[in-house]
Amino acid sequence: MLTWLRELSDWIWQDRLWFPAGLGWANLKDRDGQVFAKGRDLWVIFPIAVCFLIIRQIFERTVAVQLASLLRVREKPRVRAAPNTTLESYFCNASKFPSQSSVEELTKQSACSVRQVQRWFRRRRNQERPSQIKKFREACWRFTFYLLAFIAGLGALIDKPWFYDMEEMWNGFPTLPLLPSQYWYYMIELGFYISLLFSVATDVKRKDFKEQIVHHVATILLISFSWLVNYIRAGTLIMLVHDASDYLLESAKMFNYAGWRKTCNYIFILFAAVFILTRLVILPFWIIHTTWVYPLTLYPPFFGFYFFNGLLFVLQCLHIFWAGLILRMAIKFLPGNVRIPKPNHYREVSWTEIEPSPEPYTMYVNSGLTLFILNEVSELRVEDQ
C-alpha cells in the first residue's frame, strides 16, 4: 500500500506536469543564499490558524463588544413562541418550514388555528436567529483582518517591479527566490482561511453554509498550489486584488447591524465599484492576461500552465456571477430608486437579515419568498414577522 502511494505521489508531482521542459523541482533547492518555497513550509499555517482562533476570541469579547456599544448596536425584542409540545416536536424533528398540508395536520393535533400555527413557527424561527451583537462581532473581526491584510499586502508589493509590470511575474520562473514578506503574506492568509474553516461550525449559519465551506476549501487549495509550484508573484497579486474589496463589505455589514442604513448603503455602493474594478477589470485584463498570454512567449505550454489558468478562469466566472448580484443590490440602494408597487394579492413583509440592508427602501414580495446571495456578496433573507 505504501509503495503504491509513493508511486502515485511520484507520478502526480513529476517535473513535466508542473514545469516547462528542462525545469523541475531540482531548480527549487536552496542555493547561493537564495531560499525557495517548499511544501513543508505549509505546516506552519496550522499553529497560525490556532493563534487566529485565540486572538479572535479575545478580539470579539473586548474590542468588538466595545465598538458595538459605541455604535449603539441594539437587539430587537423578539416575541417568544408559546410552549407547545406538538409543534415543538415537529419543529425539531421534521421541518422548521412546514408545508400547507403539514400546517393543516398540525392544527388538528395541536388544537390551534392555521394562523396560530403559522405564527408559532415564525416566532420559533426568530428565537433561533443569531443576535445582532454576535453578527456584528463576526463582521468586525473579518473587517479588521481584511483591512490589515490589504494594507500589509500593499506594503509588501508596492516596491516590487511585478506590481507595475505584470510580465515580471514570470521573469526567471520557476527559480524565483522567496522574500520574507511573501512568506508571511502567504502564511498569514492561509492561516486565516484555515481558522475560518475551523470556526465555520460555530459562526452564524446562513443559507450559503455549504458554499462557504466550498469557498474556504477552494481558496486554501488555490493558495497552497501557487505556493508549491512557485507561482508566488502571481499569487500575491491575486490575494491583494481580493483583499481590496472584502473589508468594505464587512464594514457595510457592521453599519447595517448598528442601524446606520444610509452609511451602510453608501459603503455598499463603494464596495460594488471597487469589486468591479479589481475583479472584473484588473484581475482578468492585467493579471490573468499575463498568466495566460505572456508565458507562452517564454515556454511551450505544460499541464501546470493549463491547470493554474483553468482555476483562475473558474474564479473569474464566479466573479462575473457575483458582480451581477452586487449590481442588482447596489442599484436598489441609489437615492431616488423607485419603490416596487404593492399589488392587492401581495402583502408587505420585513427584512430580518440583510447584509447590507436595502432600508429605507420598501420591497413587497410573495409570502415565504427567500432570496439569497452567495458568500462573497451577502445573504438576503425575507421572513414574515
Side-chain angles (χ1 to χ4, degrees), residues 229-249:
V229 294
N230 213 22
Y231 293 166
I232 294 178
R233 292 182 179 180
T236 52
L237 289 174
I238 293 169
M239 288 191 295
L240 182 67
V241 163
H242 284 75
D243 290 337
S245 59
D246 287 341
Y247 69 91
L248 291 171
L249 177 59

mmCIF file of all heavy atoms in Angstrom, residues 229-249:
data_model
loop_
_atom_site.group_PDB
_atom_site.id
_atom_site.type_symbol
_atom_site.label_atom_id
_atom_site.label_comp_id
_atom_site.label_asym_id
_atom_site.label_seq_id
_atom_site.Cartn_x
_atom_site.Cartn_y
_atom_site.Cartn_z
ATOM 1 N N VAL A 229 4.201 25.338 -6.491
ATOM 2 C CA VAL A 229 4.847 25.395 -7.806
ATOM 3 C C VAL A 229 5.492 26.760 -8.069
ATOM 4 O O VAL A 229 5.847 27.076 -9.198
ATOM 5 C CB VAL A 229 3.838 25.054 -8.926
ATOM 6 C CG1 VAL A 229 3.393 23.612 -8.808
ATOM 7 C CG2 VAL A 229 2.640 25.979 -8.905
ATOM 8 N N ASN A 230 5.606 27.562 -7.001
ATOM 9 C CA ASN A 230 6.331 28.834 -7.053
ATOM 10 C C ASN A 230 5.690 29.870 -7.971
ATOM 11 O O ASN A 230 6.378 30.679 -8.597
ATOM 12 C CB ASN A 230 7.795 28.617 -7.465
ATOM 13 C CG ASN A 230 8.720 29.629 -6.805
ATOM 14 O OD1 ASN A 230 8.387 30.207 -5.770
ATOM 15 N ND2 ASN A 230 9.885 29.854 -7.402
ATOM 16 N N TYR A 231 4.337 29.864 -8.019
ATOM 17 C CA TYR A 231 3.627 30.958 -8.694
ATOM 18 C C TYR A 231 3.368 32.076 -7.688
ATOM 19 O O TYR A 231 2.293 32.665 -7.638
ATOM 20 C CB TYR A 231 2.283 30.473 -9.243
ATOM 21 C CG TYR A 231 2.365 29.475 -10.372
ATOM 22 C CD1 TYR A 231 1.245 28.748 -10.746
ATOM 23 C CD2 TYR A 231 3.533 29.266 -11.084
ATOM 24 C CE1 TYR A 231 1.291 27.826 -11.785
ATOM 25 C CE2 TYR A 231 3.597 28.357 -12.120
ATOM 26 C CZ TYR A 231 2.479 27.637 -12.466
ATOM 27 O OH TYR A 231 2.540 26.734 -13.486
ATOM 28 N N ILE A 232 4.365 32.382 -6.877
ATOM 29 C CA ILE A 232 4.146 33.246 -5.721
ATOM 30 C C ILE A 232 3.895 34.692 -6.122
ATOM 31 O O ILE A 232 3.063 35.380 -5.520
ATOM 32 C CB ILE A 232 5.340 33.132 -4.751
ATOM 33 C CG1 ILE A 232 5.369 31.716 -4.167
ATOM 34 C CG2 ILE A 232 5.252 34.170 -3.651
ATOM 35 C CD1 ILE A 232 6.527 31.462 -3.246
ATOM 36 N N ARG A 233 4.584 35.173 -7.119
ATOM 37 C CA ARG A 233 4.370 36.567 -7.531
ATOM 38 C C ARG A 233 2.943 36.769 -8.020
ATOM 39 O O ARG A 233 2.289 37.757 -7.665
ATOM 40 C CB ARG A 233 5.375 36.942 -8.618
ATOM 41 C CG ARG A 233 6.818 36.999 -8.115
ATOM 42 C CD ARG A 233 7.796 37.421 -9.201
ATOM 43 N NE ARG A 233 9.165 37.491 -8.700
ATOM 44 C CZ ARG A 233 10.213 37.832 -9.429
ATOM 45 N NH1 ARG A 233 10.049 38.137 -10.723
ATOM 46 N NH2 ARG A 233 11.415 37.871 -8.893
ATOM 47 N N ALA A 234 2.463 35.848 -8.837
ATOM 48 C CA ALA A 234 1.077 35.940 -9.290
ATOM 49 C C ALA A 234 0.122 35.762 -8.115
ATOM 50 O O ALA A 234 -0.898 36.451 -8.015
ATOM 51 C CB ALA A 234 0.801 34.885 -10.364
ATOM 52 N N GLY A 235 0.463 34.852 -7.206
ATOM 53 C CA GLY A 235 -0.410 34.586 -6.063
ATOM 54 C C GLY A 235 -0.582 35.789 -5.156
ATOM 55 O O GLY A 235 -1.692 36.080 -4.691
ATOM 56 N N THR A 236 0.511 36.512 -4.894
ATOM 57 C CA THR A 236 0.400 37.690 -4.027
ATOM 58 C C THR A 236 -0.452 38.778 -4.669
ATOM 59 O O THR A 236 -1.227 39.450 -3.987
ATOM 60 C CB THR A 236 1.791 38.242 -3.706
ATOM 61 O OG1 THR A 236 2.521 38.444 -4.927
ATOM 62 C CG2 THR A 236 2.567 37.299 -2.809
ATOM 63 N N LEU A 237 -0.326 38.953 -5.982
ATOM 64 C CA LEU A 237 -1.155 39.943 -6.676
ATOM 65 C C LEU A 237 -2.621 39.563 -6.632
ATOM 66 O O LEU A 237 -3.496 40.415 -6.425
ATOM 67 C CB LEU A 237 -0.692 40.087 -8.125
ATOM 68 C CG LEU A 237 0.659 40.779 -8.345
ATOM 69 C CD1 LEU A 237 1.053 40.702 -9.815
ATOM 70 C CD2 LEU A 237 0.613 42.232 -7.882
ATOM 71 N N ILE A 238 -2.921 38.280 -6.810
ATOM 72 C CA ILE A 238 -4.312 37.827 -6.786
ATOM 73 C C ILE A 238 -4.903 37.988 -5.392
ATOM 74 O O ILE A 238 -6.055 38.429 -5.237
ATOM 75 C CB ILE A 238 -4.395 36.357 -7.256
ATOM 76 C CG1 ILE A 238 -4.019 36.270 -8.738
ATOM 77 C CG2 ILE A 238 -5.800 35.798 -7.039
ATOM 78 C CD1 ILE A 238 -3.820 34.853 -9.227
ATOM 79 N N MET A 239 -4.141 37.681 -4.350
ATOM 80 C CA MET A 239 -4.632 37.864 -2.979
ATOM 81 C C MET A 239 -4.887 39.334 -2.684
ATOM 82 O O MET A 239 -5.886 39.694 -2.043
ATOM 83 C CB MET A 239 -3.630 37.284 -1.980
ATOM 84 C CG MET A 239 -3.584 35.762 -1.967
ATOM 85 S SD MET A 239 -2.645 35.051 -0.591
ATOM 86 C CE MET A 239 -0.986 35.617 -0.966
ATOM 87 N N LEU A 240 -4.006 40.213 -3.144
ATOM 88 C CA LEU A 240 -4.182 41.642 -2.914
ATOM 89 C C LEU A 240 -5.445 42.156 -3.592
ATOM 90 O O LEU A 240 -6.203 42.943 -3.006
ATOM 91 C CB LEU A 240 -2.968 42.409 -3.432
ATOM 92 C CG LEU A 240 -2.994 43.923 -3.217
ATOM 93 C CD1 LEU A 240 -2.896 44.249 -1.740
ATOM 94 C CD2 LEU A 240 -1.863 44.604 -3.985
ATOM 95 N N VAL A 241 -5.689 41.697 -4.818
ATOM 96 C CA VAL A 241 -6.888 42.113 -5.550
ATOM 97 C C VAL A 241 -8.147 41.708 -4.787
ATOM 98 O O VAL A 241 -9.128 42.470 -4.730
ATOM 99 C CB VAL A 241 -6.876 41.504 -6.971
ATOM 100 C CG1 VAL A 241 -8.259 41.563 -7.606
ATOM 101 C CG2 VAL A 241 -5.883 42.252 -7.852
ATOM 102 N N HIS A 242 -8.144 40.522 -4.189
ATOM 103 C CA HIS A 242 -9.320 40.069 -3.450
ATOM 104 C C HIS A 242 -9.478 40.806 -2.125
ATOM 105 O O HIS A 242 -10.596 41.124 -1.711
ATOM 106 C CB HIS A 242 -9.241 38.564 -3.219
ATOM 107 C CG HIS A 242 -9.552 37.752 -4.440
ATOM 108 N ND1 HIS A 242 -8.661 37.615 -5.488
ATOM 109 C CD2 HIS A 242 -10.663 37.063 -4.795
ATOM 110 C CE1 HIS A 242 -9.213 36.855 -6.417
ATOM 111 N NE2 HIS A 242 -10.413 36.517 -6.033
ATOM 112 N N ASP A 243 -8.374 41.084 -1.448
ATOM 113 C CA ASP A 243 -8.459 41.801 -0.169
ATOM 114 C C ASP A 243 -8.916 43.246 -0.344
ATOM 115 O O ASP A 243 -9.381 43.867 0.619
ATOM 116 C CB ASP A 243 -7.095 41.786 0.532
ATOM 117 C CG ASP A 243 -6.719 40.407 1.044
ATOM 118 O OD1 ASP A 243 -7.634 39.589 1.253
ATOM 119 O OD2 ASP A 243 -5.509 40.144 1.218
ATOM 120 N N ALA A 244 -8.793 43.780 -1.549
ATOM 121 C CA ALA A 244 -9.078 45.202 -1.780
ATOM 122 C C ALA A 244 -10.541 45.550 -1.544
ATOM 123 O O ALA A 244 -10.857 46.705 -1.220
ATOM 124 C CB ALA A 244 -8.676 45.590 -3.206
ATOM 125 N N SER A 245 -11.460 44.603 -1.695
ATOM 126 C CA SER A 245 -12.881 44.928 -1.562
ATOM 127 C C SER A 245 -13.548 44.241 -0.378
ATOM 128 O O SER A 245 -14.605 44.697 0.083
ATOM 129 C CB SER A 245 -13.632 44.538 -2.844
ATOM 130 O OG SER A 245 -13.501 43.152 -3.103
ATOM 131 N N ASP A 246 -12.961 43.177 0.146
ATOM 132 C CA ASP A 246 -13.633 42.400 1.196
ATOM 133 C C ASP A 246 -13.892 43.217 2.455
ATOM 134 O O ASP A 246 -14.944 43.068 3.096
ATOM 135 C CB ASP A 246 -12.803 41.161 1.548
ATOM 136 C CG ASP A 246 -12.872 40.101 0.454
ATOM 137 O OD1 ASP A 246 -13.808 40.162 -0.365
ATOM 138 O OD2 ASP A 246 -11.988 39.222 0.413
ATOM 139 N N TYR A 247 -12.958 44.062 2.853
ATOM 140 C CA TYR A 247 -13.151 44.829 4.090
ATOM 141 C C TYR A 247 -14.289 45.834 3.960
ATOM 142 O O TYR A 247 -14.938 46.197 4.956
ATOM 143 C CB TYR A 247 -11.853 45.524 4.505
ATOM 144 C CG TYR A 247 -11.410 46.646 3.607
ATOM 145 C CD1 TYR A 247 -11.810 47.953 3.846
ATOM 146 C CD2 TYR A 247 -10.578 46.398 2.511
ATOM 147 C CE1 TYR A 247 -11.396 48.990 3.022
ATOM 148 C CE2 TYR A 247 -10.155 47.416 1.695
ATOM 149 C CZ TYR A 247 -10.578 48.705 1.941
ATOM 150 O OH TYR A 247 -10.169 49.728 1.104
ATOM 151 N N LEU A 248 -14.554 46.300 2.741
ATOM 152 C CA LEU A 248 -15.670 47.233 2.548
ATOM 153 C C LEU A 248 -17.011 46.539 2.778
ATOM 154 O O LEU A 248 -17.927 47.117 3.378
ATOM 155 C CB LEU A 248 -15.621 47.824 1.133
ATOM 156 C CG LEU A 248 -14.465 48.777 0.855
ATOM 157 C CD1 LEU A 248 -14.404 49.117 -0.630
ATOM 158 C CD2 LEU A 248 -14.605 50.039 1.689
ATOM 159 N N LEU A 249 -17.129 45.301 2.298
ATOM 160 C CA LEU A 249 -18.370 44.558 2.523
ATOM 161 C C LEU A 249 -18.590 44.303 4.008
ATOM 162 O O LEU A 249 -19.715 44.466 4.517
ATOM 163 C CB LEU A 249 -18.323 43.231 1.766
ATOM 164 C CG LEU A 249 -19.532 42.309 1.954
ATOM 165 C CD1 LEU A 249 -20.815 43.001 1.506
ATOM 166 C CD2 LEU A 249 -19.342 41.003 1.209
#
